Amino acid sequence: MKTCFTILLMLCSAALFAQSAEKLYGNWIKVRTIYKDGSELNDYDLIKYNYTKFSFSKPDKCTIALSYDQWGEPVHFMLGFDELFIKNDKEFVLNQLHIVKFSADTMILMQQNNGSWDDPACIKFYYVPESAFQKANPLTADDIVSVKGTDTLYRASEKLYAGFNGDASFHMLEQSALGDLHGETPLKNHFLATFIINKDGTADSLKIVEGINPDFDKQYIKTFLKLKNHWVHATHNGKAVSVQMKDEFRYLSSAPDFFERAKPGMLADEEMKAGNYSLAIINYTKAIRNSPYAGEYYYKRAFCYLATDDAADACSDLQKAKELGTYAANGLIKRFCQ
């Protein structure tokens, strides 16, 4: 009798897990981050406002992306009674998250701290389905590139973007095809391209705004053309629309160069956490000049400006951080610059 009950319990548990997984499939966007005790994270902590997207698909696949147009590394997931396990393809558990709440419209996950779930410093992450996130962030005039007759070309963002149908994201496939071509007589360390995904899901109008070197740019174009029919059109109000996408690469010439360029940013971080905001501003300014990844430094310098009551310079830096792809800047812009 006891054996039959155990088997029945296992079957019921499996059925419940299957039902939960069905609700889980799709994209979930982080909308809030707080400590377990309800207190707020510090504004200079990028994790507070950064963009995070969980994408779950059958049977147990998962990606975690920090940008709307990236997929992140493919991993696997497994649901427990109140836990979400993130695993690699060898079944090694990479992360274990406590499921505080899970429904069709809300997912709250908690990360343990110092090996404990009871620590007040455990961080809680609030997620909503991507459709709900986009509905709460309607398009504005700033999201429109151009209007021709009845056709509107939108600028891709977290609010609206084209999908990609491939084994990896478009950016990752381009990166794989480009290999080490950026190291062959590089002219610049920054590559930026824009292109349009039409209403029928085809890609065209590729424009290399800033190239690396002739071989790099040529291979990029070749791969772009090879993948031009692998896109899925964007949808707005139930209708297919055209969007302008962008793709970007940033490189450093060498590892020693990277560490040398990183020093001012590291010093600035220490000064900021110590409350020495004026010194932090000086070092963040150096870091901005030295780094191709300046978005994060603009964001942190903006926090220092806010701490010294310089709202004008802070908002200027936040706008630059946003333009450079630092999504977290949106959080401070909404609080201090509108």
Side-chain angles (χ1 to χ4, degrees), residues 74-106:
V75 290
H76 298 273
F77 76 92
M78 183 180 74
L79 287 174
F81 283 105
D82 58 358
E83 292 172 312
L84 173 65
F85 298 92
I86 304 299
K87 307 182 297 179
N88 62 16
D89 56 2
K90 298 186 183 299
E91 298 298 309
F92 178 80
V93 176
L94 303 173
N95 199 3
Q96 178 182 354
L97 297 162
H98 174 61
I99 302 173
V100 179
K101 180 181 179 181
F102 178 53
S103 64
D105 57 6
T106 303

PDB file of all heavy atoms in Angstrom, residues 74-106:
ATOM      1  N   PRO A  74      22.950  28.981 -24.133  1.00  0.00           N
ATOM      2  CA  PRO A  74      21.895  27.975 -23.954  1.00  0.00           C
ATOM      3  C   PRO A  74      22.209  27.053 -22.790  1.00  0.00           C
ATOM      4  O   PRO A  74      23.319  26.537 -22.666  1.00  0.00           O
ATOM      5  CB  PRO A  74      21.909  27.220 -25.288  1.00  0.00           C
ATOM      6  CG  PRO A  74      23.289  27.411 -25.826  1.00  0.00           C
ATOM      7  CD  PRO A  74      23.718  28.777 -25.374  1.00  0.00           C
ATOM      8  N   VAL A  75      21.242  26.880 -21.918  1.00  0.00           N
ATOM      9  CA  VAL A  75      21.374  25.982 -20.767  1.00  0.00           C
ATOM     10  C   VAL A  75      20.094  25.153 -20.666  1.00  0.00           C
ATOM     11  O   VAL A  75      19.235  25.197 -21.550  1.00  0.00           O
ATOM     12  CB  VAL A  75      21.613  26.778 -19.454  1.00  0.00           C
ATOM     13  CG1 VAL A  75      22.984  27.408 -19.443  1.00  0.00           C
ATOM     14  CG2 VAL A  75      20.537  27.850 -19.257  1.00  0.00           C
ATOM     15  N   HIS A  76      19.973  24.403 -19.596  1.00  0.00           N
ATOM     16  CA  HIS A  76      18.776  23.603 -19.359  1.00  0.00           C
ATOM     17  C   HIS A  76      18.178  23.993 -18.007  1.00  0.00           C
ATOM     18  O   HIS A  76      18.872  24.548 -17.149  1.00  0.00           O
ATOM     19  CB  HIS A  76      19.109  22.109 -19.371  1.00  0.00           C
ATOM     20  CG  HIS A  76      19.652  21.621 -20.675  1.00  0.00           C
ATOM     21  ND1 HIS A  76      18.838  21.196 -21.700  1.00  0.00           N
ATOM     22  CD2 HIS A  76      20.924  21.509 -21.129  1.00  0.00           C
ATOM     23  CE1 HIS A  76      19.582  20.836 -22.730  1.00  0.00           C
ATOM     24  NE2 HIS A  76      20.847  21.020 -22.409  1.00  0.00           N
ATOM     25  N   PHE A  77      16.898  23.701 -17.818  1.00  0.00           N
ATOM     26  CA  PHE A  77      16.273  23.985 -16.537  1.00  0.00           C
ATOM     27  C   PHE A  77      15.511  22.775 -16.034  1.00  0.00           C
ATOM     28  O   PHE A  77      15.125  21.885 -16.796  1.00  0.00           O
ATOM     29  CB  PHE A  77      15.338  25.193 -16.633  1.00  0.00           C
ATOM     30  CG  PHE A  77      14.016  24.910 -17.302  1.00  0.00           C
ATOM     31  CD1 PHE A  77      12.903  24.538 -16.556  1.00  0.00           C
ATOM     32  CD2 PHE A  77      13.882  25.009 -18.677  1.00  0.00           C
ATOM     33  CE1 PHE A  77      11.673  24.286 -17.167  1.00  0.00           C
ATOM     34  CE2 PHE A  77      12.669  24.756 -19.298  1.00  0.00           C
ATOM     35  CZ  PHE A  77      11.556  24.395 -18.538  1.00  0.00           C
ATOM     36  N   MET A  78      15.327  22.733 -14.725  1.00  0.00           N
ATOM     37  CA  MET A  78      14.520  21.692 -14.096  1.00  0.00           C
ATOM     38  C   MET A  78      13.747  22.323 -12.952  1.00  0.00           C
ATOM     39  O   MET A  78      14.299  23.151 -12.213  1.00  0.00           O
ATOM     40  CB  MET A  78      15.406  20.562 -13.571  1.00  0.00           C
ATOM     41  CG  MET A  78      14.622  19.398 -12.948  1.00  0.00           C
ATOM     42  SD  MET A  78      15.718  18.081 -12.333  1.00  0.00           S
ATOM     43  CE  MET A  78      16.357  18.884 -10.862  1.00  0.00           C
ATOM     44  N   LEU A  79      12.491  21.977 -12.823  1.00  0.00           N
ATOM     45  CA  LEU A  79      11.658  22.510 -11.748  1.00  0.00           C
ATOM     46  C   LEU A  79      11.576  21.522 -10.599  1.00  0.00           C
ATOM     47  O   LEU A  79      11.372  20.325 -10.806  1.00  0.00           O
ATOM     48  CB  LEU A  79      10.245  22.796 -12.260  1.00  0.00           C
ATOM     49  CG  LEU A  79      10.069  24.002 -13.177  1.00  0.00           C
ATOM     50  CD1 LEU A  79       8.647  24.056 -13.710  1.00  0.00           C
ATOM     51  CD2 LEU A  79      10.410  25.292 -12.454  1.00  0.00           C
ATOM     52  N   GLY A  80      11.751  22.044  -9.383  1.00  0.00           N
ATOM     53  CA  GLY A  80      11.472  21.278  -8.178  1.00  0.00           C
ATOM     54  C   GLY A  80      10.154  21.769  -7.603  1.00  0.00           C
ATOM     55  O   GLY A  80       9.413  22.510  -8.263  1.00  0.00           O
ATOM     56  N   PHE A  81       9.840  21.384  -6.368  1.00  0.00           N
ATOM     57  CA  PHE A  81       8.574  21.832  -5.771  1.00  0.00           C
ATOM     58  C   PHE A  81       8.525  23.355  -5.662  1.00  0.00           C
ATOM     59  O   PHE A  81       7.522  23.977  -5.965  1.00  0.00           O
ATOM     60  CB  PHE A  81       8.392  21.204  -4.380  1.00  0.00           C
ATOM     61  CG  PHE A  81       7.955  19.769  -4.431  1.00  0.00           C
ATOM     62  CD1 PHE A  81       8.845  18.753  -4.156  1.00  0.00           C
ATOM     63  CD2 PHE A  81       6.648  19.437  -4.779  1.00  0.00           C
ATOM     64  CE1 PHE A  81       8.452  17.426  -4.205  1.00  0.00           C
ATOM     65  CE2 PHE A  81       6.240  18.122  -4.839  1.00  0.00           C
ATOM     66  CZ  PHE A  81       7.146  17.097  -4.547  1.00  0.00           C
ATOM     67  N   ASP A  82       9.600  23.947  -5.203  1.00  0.00           N
ATOM     68  CA  ASP A  82       9.662  25.403  -5.110  1.00  0.00           C
ATOM     69  C   ASP A  82      11.037  25.910  -5.518  1.00  0.00           C
ATOM     70  O   ASP A  82      11.520  26.923  -5.015  1.00  0.00           O
ATOM     71  CB  ASP A  82       9.314  25.885  -3.700  1.00  0.00           C
ATOM     72  CG  ASP A  82      10.231  25.301  -2.640  1.00  0.00           C
ATOM     73  OD1 ASP A  82      11.118  24.492  -3.003  1.00  0.00           O
ATOM     74  OD2 ASP A  82      10.092  25.655  -1.455  1.00  0.00           O
ATOM     75  N   GLU A  83      11.660  25.218  -6.463  1.00  0.00           N
ATOM     76  CA  GLU A  83      12.997  25.595  -6.896  1.00  0.00           C
ATOM     77  C   GLU A  83      13.127  25.506  -8.412  1.00  0.00           C
ATOM     78  O   GLU A  83      12.484  24.680  -9.060  1.00  0.00           O
ATOM     79  CB  GLU A  83      14.053  24.691  -6.244  1.00  0.00           C
ATOM     80  CG  GLU A  83      14.171  24.893  -4.742  1.00  0.00           C
ATOM     81  CD  GLU A  83      15.088  23.851  -4.116  1.00  0.00           C
ATOM     82  OE1 GLU A  83      14.914  22.659  -4.415  1.00  0.00           O
ATOM     83  OE2 GLU A  83      15.974  24.244  -3.328  1.00  0.00           O
ATOM     84  N   LEU A  84      13.959  26.367  -8.952  1.00  0.00           N
ATOM     85  CA  LEU A  84      14.301  26.351 -10.366  1.00  0.00           C
ATOM     86  C   LEU A  84      15.800  26.093 -10.476  1.00  0.00           C
ATOM     87  O   LEU A  84      16.608  26.860  -9.959  1.00  0.00           O
ATOM     88  CB  LEU A  84      13.950  27.695 -11.021  1.00  0.00           C
ATOM     89  CG  LEU A  84      14.402  27.902 -12.472  1.00  0.00           C
ATOM     90  CD1 LEU A  84      13.694  26.930 -13.410  1.00  0.00           C
ATOM     91  CD2 LEU A  84      14.151  29.348 -12.905  1.00  0.00           C
ATOM     92  N   PHE A  85      16.155  24.989 -11.110  1.00  0.00           N
ATOM     93  CA  PHE A  85      17.556  24.626 -11.279  1.00  0.00           C
ATOM     94  C   PHE A  85      17.996  24.956 -12.704  1.00  0.00           C
ATOM     95  O   PHE A  85      17.337  24.563 -13.663  1.00  0.00           O
ATOM     96  CB  PHE A  85      17.764  23.129 -11.020  1.00  0.00           C
ATOM     97  CG  PHE A  85      17.421  22.685  -9.618  1.00  0.00           C
ATOM     98  CD1 PHE A  85      16.151  22.218  -9.313  1.00  0.00           C
ATOM     99  CD2 PHE A  85      18.375  22.748  -8.613  1.00  0.00           C
ATOM    100  CE1 PHE A  85      15.833  21.812  -8.028  1.00  0.00           C
ATOM    101  CE2 PHE A  85      18.060  22.341  -7.315  1.00  0.00           C
ATOM    102  CZ  PHE A  85      16.786  21.878  -7.020  1.00  0.00           C
ATOM    103  N   ILE A  86      19.105  25.676 -12.830  1.00  0.00           N
ATOM    104  CA  ILE A  86      19.697  25.971 -14.126  1.00  0.00           C
ATOM    105  C   ILE A  86      20.904  25.055 -14.285  1.00  0.00           C
ATOM    106  O   ILE A  86      21.812  25.067 -13.443  1.00  0.00           O
ATOM    107  CB  ILE A  86      20.123  27.442 -14.234  1.00  0.00           C
ATOM    108  CG1 ILE A  86      18.919  28.368 -13.943  1.00  0.00           C
ATOM    109  CG2 ILE A  86      20.707  27.730 -15.611  1.00  0.00           C
ATOM    110  CD1 ILE A  86      17.766  28.200 -14.901  1.00  0.00           C
ATOM    111  N   LYS A  87      20.928  24.253 -15.365  1.00  0.00           N
ATOM    112  CA  LYS A  87      21.964  23.230 -15.532  1.00  0.00           C
ATOM    113  C   LYS A  87      22.648  23.384 -16.890  1.00  0.00           C
ATOM    114  O   LYS A  87      22.045  23.910 -17.836  1.00  0.00           O
ATOM    115  CB  LYS A  87      21.350  21.832 -15.434  1.00  0.00           C
ATOM    116  CG  LYS A  87      20.521  21.586 -14.169  1.00  0.00           C
ATOM    117  CD  LYS A  87      19.991  20.166 -14.131  1.00  0.00           C
ATOM    118  CE  LYS A  87      19.044  19.893 -15.283  1.00  0.00           C
ATOM    119  NZ  LYS A  87      18.535  18.500 -15.275  1.00  0.00           N
ATOM    120  N   ASN A  88      23.883  22.868 -16.983  1.00  0.00           N
ATOM    121  CA  ASN A  88      24.538  22.814 -18.288  1.00  0.00           C
ATOM    122  C   ASN A  88      24.187  21.496 -18.976  1.00  0.00           C
ATOM    123  O   ASN A  88      23.404  20.696 -18.447  1.00  0.00           O
ATOM    124  CB  ASN A  88      26.060  22.996 -18.160  1.00  0.00           C
ATOM    125  CG  ASN A  88      26.718  21.887 -17.346  1.00  0.00           C
ATOM    126  OD1 ASN A  88      26.143  20.819 -17.113  1.00  0.00           O
ATOM    127  ND2 ASN A  88      27.942  22.132 -16.917  1.00  0.00           N
ATOM    128  N   ASP A  89      24.749  21.271 -20.163  1.00  0.00           N
ATOM    129  CA  ASP A  89      24.374  20.072 -20.912  1.00  0.00           C
ATOM    130  C   ASP A  89      24.925  18.790 -20.302  1.00  0.00           C
ATOM    131  O   ASP A  89      24.588  17.690 -20.745  1.00  0.00           O
ATOM    132  CB  ASP A  89      24.820  20.190 -22.372  1.00  0.00           C
ATOM    133  CG  ASP A  89      26.308  20.454 -22.513  1.00  0.00           C
ATOM    134  OD1 ASP A  89      27.010  20.501 -21.476  1.00  0.00           O
ATOM    135  OD2 ASP A  89      26.774  20.614 -23.650  1.00  0.00           O
ATOM    136  N   LYS A  90      25.756  18.908 -19.270  1.00  0.00           N
ATOM    137  CA  LYS A  90      26.265  17.733 -18.563  1.00  0.00           C
ATOM    138  C   LYS A  90      25.532  17.526 -17.244  1.00  0.00           C
ATOM    139  O   LYS A  90      25.987  16.778 -16.360  1.00  0.00           O
ATOM    140  CB  LYS A  90      27.765  17.874 -18.324  1.00  0.00           C
ATOM    141  CG  LYS A  90      28.584  17.967 -19.610  1.00  0.00           C
ATOM    142  CD  LYS A  90      30.066  17.964 -19.324  1.00  0.00           C
ATOM    143  CE  LYS A  90      30.865  18.139 -20.598  1.00  0.00           C
ATOM    144  NZ  LYS A  90      30.615  17.050 -21.565  1.00  0.00           N
ATOM    145  N   GLU A  91      24.394  18.222 -17.090  1.00  0.00           N
ATOM    146  CA  GLU A  91      23.521  18.097 -15.924  1.00  0.00           C
ATOM    147  C   GLU A  91      24.132  18.702 -14.654  1.00  0.00           C
ATOM    148  O   GLU A  91      23.645  18.448 -13.553  1.00  0.00           O
ATOM    149  CB  GLU A  91      23.135  16.633 -15.660  1.00  0.00           C
ATOM    150  CG  GLU A  91      22.344  15.987 -16.785  1.00  0.00           C
ATOM    151  CD  GLU A  91      20.991  16.708 -17.011  1.00  0.00           C
ATOM    152  OE1 GLU A  91      20.250  16.896 -16.038  1.00  0.00           O
ATOM    153  OE2 GLU A  91      20.721  17.097 -18.150  1.00  0.00           O
ATOM    154  N   PHE A  92      25.201  19.481 -14.796  1.00  0.00           N
ATOM    155  CA  PHE A  92      25.778  20.148 -13.623  1.00  0.00           C
ATOM    156  C   PHE A  92      24.945  21.385 -13.295  1.00  0.00           C
ATOM    157  O   PHE A  92      24.649  22.192 -14.170  1.00  0.00           O
ATOM    158  CB  PHE A  92      27.230  20.543 -13.902  1.00  0.00           C
ATOM    159  CG  PHE A  92      27.886  21.269 -12.764  1.00  0.00           C
ATOM    160  CD1 PHE A  92      28.377  20.577 -11.670  1.00  0.00           C
ATOM    161  CD2 PHE A  92      28.004  22.663 -12.787  1.00  0.00           C
ATOM    162  CE1 PHE A  92      28.977  21.246 -10.620  1.00  0.00           C
ATOM    163  CE2 PHE A  92      28.605  23.340 -11.737  1.00  0.00           C
ATOM    164  CZ  PHE A  92      29.089  22.631 -10.647  1.00  0.00           C
ATOM    165  N   VAL A  93      24.544  21.525 -12.030  1.00  0.00           N
ATOM    166  CA  VAL A  93      23.700  22.650 -11.619  1.00  0.00           C
ATOM    167  C   VAL A  93      24.539  23.924 -11.547  1.00  0.00           C
ATOM    168  O   VAL A  93      25.472  24.032 -10.744  1.00  0.00           O
ATOM    169  CB  VAL A  93      23.037  22.376 -10.258  1.00  0.00           C
ATOM    170  CG1 VAL A  93      22.245  23.606  -9.798  1.00  0.00           C
ATOM    171  CG2 VAL A  93      22.102  21.171 -10.351  1.00  0.00           C
ATOM    172  N   LEU A  94      24.209  24.893 -12.395  1.00  0.00           N
ATOM    173  CA  LEU A  94      24.914  26.171 -12.438  1.00  0.00           C
ATOM    174  C   LEU A  94      24.347  27.163 -11.438  1.00  0.00           C
ATOM    175  O   LEU A  94      25.063  27.995 -10.893  1.00  0.00           O
ATOM    176  CB  LEU A  94      24.834  26.765 -13.847  1.00  0.00           C
ATOM    177  CG  LEU A  94      25.373  25.893 -14.985  1.00  0.00           C
ATOM    178  CD1 LEU A  94      25.059  26.542 -16.326  1.00  0.00           C
ATOM    179  CD2 LEU A  94      26.874  25.688 -14.829  1.00  0.00           C
ATOM    180  N   ASN A  95      23.047  27.075 -11.214  1.00  0.00           N
ATOM    181  CA  ASN A  95      22.387  27.989 -10.281  1.00  0.00           C
ATOM    182  C   ASN A  95      21.115  27.353  -9.758  1.00  0.00           C
ATOM    183  O   ASN A  95      20.460  26.588 -10.466  1.00  0.00           O
ATOM    184  CB  ASN A  95      22.059  29.321 -10.963  1.00  0.00           C
ATOM    185  CG  ASN A  95      21.813  30.438  -9.965  1.00  0.00           C
ATOM    186  OD1 ASN A  95      21.935  30.243  -8.754  1.00  0.00           O
ATOM    187  ND2 ASN A  95      21.460  31.603 -10.454  1.00  0.00           N
ATOM    188  N   GLN A  96      20.795  27.660  -8.538  1.00  0.00           N
ATOM    189  CA  GLN A  96      19.581  27.169  -7.895  1.00  0.00           C
ATOM    190  C   GLN A  96      18.821  28.370  -7.351  1.00  0.00           C
ATOM    191  O   GLN A  96      19.331  29.120  -6.535  1.00  0.00           O
ATOM    192  CB  GLN A  96      19.934  26.201  -6.761  1.00  0.00           C
ATOM    193  CG  GLN A  96      18.735  25.671  -5.998  1.00  0.00           C
ATOM    194  CD  GLN A  96      19.142  24.756  -4.854  1.00  0.00           C
ATOM    195  OE1 GLN A  96      20.317  24.423  -4.696  1.00  0.00           O
ATOM    196  NE2 GLN A  96      18.190  24.346  -4.044  1.00  0.00           N
ATOM    197  N   LEU A  97      17.609  28.583  -7.843  1.00  0.00           N
ATOM    198  CA  LEU A  97      16.795  29.724  -7.448  1.00  0.00           C
ATOM    199  C   LEU A  97      15.540  29.257  -6.746  1.00  0.00           C
ATOM    200  O   LEU A  97      14.887  28.295  -7.183  1.00  0.00           O
ATOM    201  CB  LEU A  97      16.423  30.550  -8.685  1.00  0.00           C
ATOM    202  CG  LEU A  97      17.594  31.180  -9.440  1.00  0.00           C
ATOM    203  CD1 LEU A  97      17.171  31.578 -10.852  1.00  0.00           C
ATOM    204  CD2 LEU A  97      18.135  32.388  -8.693  1.00  0.00           C
ATOM    205  N   HIS A  98      15.195  29.926  -5.673  1.00  0.00           N
ATOM    206  CA  HIS A  98      13.964  29.607  -4.948  1.00  0.00           C
ATOM    207  C   HIS A  98      12.780  30.298  -5.620  1.00  0.00           C
ATOM    208  O   HIS A  98      12.841  31.494  -5.922  1.00  0.00           O
ATOM    209  CB  HIS A  98      14.075  30.075  -3.495  1.00  0.00           C
ATOM    210  CG  HIS A  98      12.813  29.911  -2.708  1.00  0.00           C
ATOM    211  ND1 HIS A  98      12.214  28.689  -2.494  1.00  0.00           N
ATOM    212  CD2 HIS A  98      12.011  30.832  -2.108  1.00  0.00           C
ATOM    213  CE1 HIS A  98      11.116  28.858  -1.781  1.00  0.00           C
ATOM    214  NE2 HIS A  98      10.974  30.151  -1.536  1.00  0.00           N
ATOM    215  N   ILE A  99      11.719  29.555  -5.900  1.00  0.00           N
ATOM    216  CA  ILE A  99      10.525  30.127  -6.524  1.00  0.00           C
ATOM    217  C   ILE A  99       9.614  30.658  -5.423  1.00  0.00           C
ATOM    218  O   ILE A  99       8.936  29.907  -4.728  1.00  0.00           O
ATOM    219  CB  ILE A  99       9.783  29.072  -7.374  1.00  0.00           C
ATOM    220  CG1 ILE A  99      10.711  28.500  -8.444  1.00  0.00           C
ATOM    221  CG2 ILE A  99       8.542  29.690  -8.018  1.00  0.00           C
ATOM    222  CD1 ILE A  99      10.117  27.344  -9.224  1.00  0.00           C
ATOM    223  N   VAL A 100       9.620  31.967  -5.234  1.00  0.00           N
ATOM    224  CA  VAL A 100       8.794  32.605  -4.211  1.00  0.00           C
ATOM    225  C   VAL A 100       7.327  32.611  -4.648  1.00  0.00           C
ATOM    226  O   VAL A 100       6.421  32.347  -3.861  1.00  0.00           O
ATOM    227  CB  VAL A 100       9.272  34.039  -3.943  1.00  0.00           C
ATOM    228  CG1 VAL A 100       8.391  34.722  -2.893  1.00  0.00           C
ATOM    229  CG2 VAL A 100      10.731  34.037  -3.499  1.00  0.00           C
ATOM    230  N   LYS A 101       7.116  32.905  -5.945  1.00  0.00           N
ATOM    231  CA  LYS A 101       5.756  32.936  -6.495  1.00  0.00           C
ATOM    232  C   LYS A 101       5.830  32.622  -7.977  1.00  0.00           C
ATOM    233  O   LYS A 101       6.755  33.055  -8.660  1.00  0.00           O
ATOM    234  CB  LYS A 101       5.108  34.309  -6.287  1.00  0.00           C
ATOM    235  CG  LYS A 101       3.692  34.410  -6.846  1.00  0.00           C
ATOM    236  CD  LYS A 101       3.095  35.800  -6.628  1.00  0.00           C
ATOM    237  CE  LYS A 101       1.691  35.900  -7.215  1.00  0.00           C
ATOM    238  NZ  LYS A 101       1.106  37.255  -7.036  1.00  0.00           N
ATOM    239  N   PHE A 102       4.847  31.867  -8.447  1.00  0.00           N
ATOM    240  CA  PHE A 102       4.800  31.577  -9.871  1.00  0.00           C
ATOM    241  C   PHE A 102       3.357  31.446 -10.322  1.00  0.00           C
ATOM    242  O   PHE A 102       2.598  30.648  -9.793  1.00  0.00           O
ATOM    243  CB  PHE A 102       5.569  30.290 -10.189  1.00  0.00           C
ATOM    244  CG  PHE A 102       5.509  29.908 -11.649  1.00  0.00           C
ATOM    245  CD1 PHE A 102       5.869  30.830 -12.616  1.00  0.00           C
ATOM    246  CD2 PHE A 102       5.076  28.666 -12.034  1.00  0.00           C
ATOM    247  CE1 PHE A 102       5.807  30.509 -13.958  1.00  0.00           C
ATOM    248  CE2 PHE A 102       5.014  28.322 -13.372  1.00  0.00           C
ATOM    249  CZ  PHE A 102       5.381  29.241 -14.344  1.00  0.00           C
ATOM    250  N   SER A 103       2.951  32.288 -11.265  1.00  0.00           N
ATOM    251  CA  SER A 103       1.614  32.230 -11.850  1.00  0.00           C
ATOM    252  C   SER A 103       1.735  32.583 -13.318  1.00  0.00           C
ATOM    253  O   SER A 103       2.841  32.793 -13.831  1.00  0.00           O
ATOM    254  CB  SER A 103       0.668  33.203 -11.134  1.00  0.00           C
ATOM    255  OG  SER A 103       1.081  34.545 -11.323  1.00  0.00           O
ATOM    256  N   ALA A 104       0.607  32.677 -13.997  1.00  0.00           N
ATOM    257  CA  ALA A 104       0.638  32.984 -15.434  1.00  0.00           C
ATOM    258  C   ALA A 104       1.184  34.374 -15.722  1.00  0.00           C
ATOM    259  O   ALA A 104       1.692  34.625 -16.814  1.00  0.00           O
ATOM    260  CB  ALA A 104      -0.770  32.844 -16.018  1.00  0.00           C
ATOM    261  N   ASP A 105       1.107  35.291 -14.741  1.00  0.00           N
ATOM    262  CA  ASP A 105       1.533  36.666 -15.000  1.00  0.00           C
ATOM    263  C   ASP A 105       2.647  37.171 -14.085  1.00  0.00           C
ATOM    264  O   ASP A 105       3.092  38.307 -14.219  1.00  0.00           O
ATOM    265  CB  ASP A 105       0.342  37.618 -14.906  1.00  0.00           C
ATOM    266  CG  ASP A 105      -0.361  37.543 -13.554  1.00  0.00           C
ATOM    267  OD1 ASP A 105       0.141  36.837 -12.655  1.00  0.00           O
ATOM    268  OD2 ASP A 105      -1.407  38.190 -13.404  1.00  0.00           O
ATOM    269  N   THR A 106       3.143  36.343 -13.181  1.00  0.00           N
ATOM    270  CA  THR A 106       4.186  36.778 -12.253  1.00  0.00           C
ATOM    271  C   THR A 106       5.113  35.615 -11.904  1.00  0.00           C
ATOM    272  O   THR A 106       4.648  34.497 -11.652  1.00  0.00           O
ATOM    273  CB  THR A 106       3.592  37.330 -10.942  1.00  0.00           C
ATOM    274  OG1 THR A 106       2.693  38.397 -11.228  1.00  0.00           O
ATOM    275  CG2 THR A 106       4.699  37.853 -10.031  1.00  0.00           C
TER     276      THR A 106
END
